[in-house]
Amino acid sequence: MPFSHDMVCSLAAVADLVNSAPETGGLDSLTGAGELREYVRRHELSGVGEVNGADLAEVRALRATFLEIFAEPDAASAVARLNVLLERTRITARLTEHDGYPLHVHYFAKGAPLAEHLAAELGVALAHLLVEGEWERLRTCAAPDCERVFFDESRNRSRVYCDSRTCGNRMHVAAYRARRRA
């Protein structure tokens, strides 16, 4: 199934937010308002005002909720947890055209705090993935020493590593060396 540009961007943003947590095997990369501003800039989140320290605490709590959603063992459990998250947001559908992309829908309430904005926009992207029966595209890296999550947007659902240049390359080199030793 082809995914819209905005859906791919939103799913990448939610994976990036989850991967900023130390529970995914690295350091906490969301420790200050500056890192949060960089996250907003990197993902080109529209409709976001000034980012401050209060936003940081709320977004970190939201990050924990998204981590729980990713960790759900099946789609039905993810649906239940995602519904709880979405019930806490004011969602306004807004048609928009920007950056050369055709007309599409953004989901968030104008003037909402950053965490609520992210919960709405990223939560709706996850909801669409569930509705389309594509929940299995949300994955954890197959490398044994990596806990990062990612969205598999490949046509044949074959991606297994969070990054082919790091984890994928490392695992392929290890397999090659093991074959050479055998």
Side-chain angles (χ1 to χ4, degrees):
M1 143 179 221
F3 297 99
S4 71
H5 167 77
D6 265 23
M7 186 166 171
V8 169
C9 289
S10 292
L11 292 170
V14 73
D16 191 26
L17 182 61
V18 169
N19 288 332
S20 72
E23 293 87 352
T24 59
L27 298 174
D28 188 346
S29 62
L30 199 58
T31 59
E35 286 96 351
L36 185 55
R37 276 190 286 281
E38 173 57 23
Y39 170 83
V40 168
R41 185 205 59 75
R42 186 172 59 250
H43 291 287
E44 299 175 347
L45 298 170
S46 60
V48 175
E50 184 61 33
V51 175
N52 59 45
D55 290 322
L56 179 64
E58 292 172 1
V59 170
R60 288 171 60 105
L62 177 64
R63 174 180 71 181
T65 301
F66 279 130
L67 185 59
E68 292 168 354
I69 291 169
F70 266 76
E72 289 298 342
D74 53 55
S77 302
V79 165
R81 193 172 295 273
L82 188 56
N83 276 335
V84 170
L85 173 68
L86 291 173
E87 286 171 3
R88 297 190 323 233
T89 65
R90 296 170 286 156
I91 297 176
T92 303
R94 181 176 306 273
L95 292 168
T96 184
E97 292 178 288
H98 60 84
D99 301 325
Y101 294 103
L103 190 64
H104 59 279
V105 183
H106 281 203
Y107 301 93
F108 59 87
K110 191 172 184 171
L114 178 58
E116 185 178 353
H117 178 116
L118 291 173
E121 192 157 333
L122 305 182
V124 167
L126 289 174
H128 281 292
L129 204 63
L130 282 158
V131 166
E132 296 298 326
E134 299 284 353
W135 184 249
E136 72 277 357
R137 288 183 180 270
L138 295 177
R139 301 202 174 136
T140 301
C141 185
D145 59 341
C146 183
E147 297 293 323
R148 294 176 60 84
V149 299
F150 64 94
F151 164 62
D152 179 7
E153 60 183 291
S154 67
R155 287 184 85 153
N156 63 357
R157 297 174 180 90
S158 62
R159 187 171 159 200
V160 294
Y161 300 114
C162 65
D163 186 355
S164 62
R165 292 179 311 260
T166 55
C167 290
N169 189 47
R170 191 174 71 249
M171 297 308 295
H172 289 117
V173 167
Y176 170 78
R177 288 180 179 160
R179 285 191 307 272
R180 297 280 293 176
R181 283 192 300 267

